[in-house]
Amino acid sequence: MSTRTAAQRRAEHSAAYDAYLAECPARKLLDRISDKWVSLAVNALADGPQRYSDLQRRLASVSQKMLTQTLRSLERDGLVTRTVWPTVPQRVDYELTPLGRSLLPVMRAIKDWAEQHMDEVEAARTAYEMPVTAK
């Protein structure tokens, strides 16, 4: 049995999660968290637990199917917890886990960046779409 240094063990661990490789689990996670509904749902849950209906109202234009799929995938990945309360009618709350909260600053920064730079992006799109003769 060969002995490995801590640096070698870290290098092996890093190589196991190389998001540039198509089959890497980290790449699949990046695919999931880059989804617009995931980003918006994580941001919407920043203020604490919310009911499904509250999330659906907050995330304008999300379909029931898409919101359900998004919340299930977040729950499966350990980013959201789902709590069912024994009431009539049944109440279900969704909340970020500590792991989900650790993702929040990144998601919030992306959302804030998009909101702050939208005018510049729109101007760039307009300039790009102008016919060459008009430029």
Side-chain angles (χ1 to χ4, degrees):
M1 183 163 108
S2 65
T3 305
R4 296 174 300 163
T5 66
Q8 288 170 325
R9 286 192 301 273
R10 281 192 302 274
E12 288 171 4
H13 184 267
S14 293
Y17 297 114
D18 182 351
Y20 290 110
L21 301 175
E23 294 304 314
C24 175
R27 182 170 183 166
K28 292 176 182 177
L29 181 58
L30 282 172
D31 287 344
R32 177 164 343 275
I33 63 176
S34 65
D35 177 82
K36 73 176 176 183
W37 296 120
V38 168
S39 174
L40 293 172
V42 168
N43 278 296
L45 289 167
D47 296 329
Q50 292 194 38
R51 297 175 79 169
Y52 183 94
S53 58
D54 296 331
L55 285 169
Q56 193 168 32
R57 272 191 297 279
R58 183 111 188 249
L59 304 178
S61 79
V62 68
S63 69
Q64 183 175 350
K65 178 182 176 183
M66 187 52 62
L67 182 56
T68 298
Q69 287 177 351
T70 299
L71 291 169
R72 282 184 184 158
S73 72
L74 289 170
E75 186 179 8
R76 186 185 68 228
D77 289 342
L79 302 173
V80 166
T81 58
R82 179 179 183 265
T83 304
V84 180
W85 300 98
T87 60
V88 177
Q90 193 176 55
R91 177 184 171 135
V92 179
D93 287 338
Y94 294 89
E95 182 176 14
L96 292 174
T97 64
L99 183 60
R101 287 211 163 275
S102 72
L103 179 61
L104 187 56
V106 176
M107 295 301 207
R108 184 176 283 149
I110 292 170
K111 177 185 164 287
D112 291 347
W113 183 91
E115 291 170 349
Q116 291 170 8
H117 295 281
M118 199 60 236
D119 290 339
E120 295 165 78
V121 170
E122 287 292 343
R125 288 176 178 170
T126 300
Y128 180 84
E129 292 170 1
M130 274 188 187
V132 176
T133 57
K135 291 183 182 180

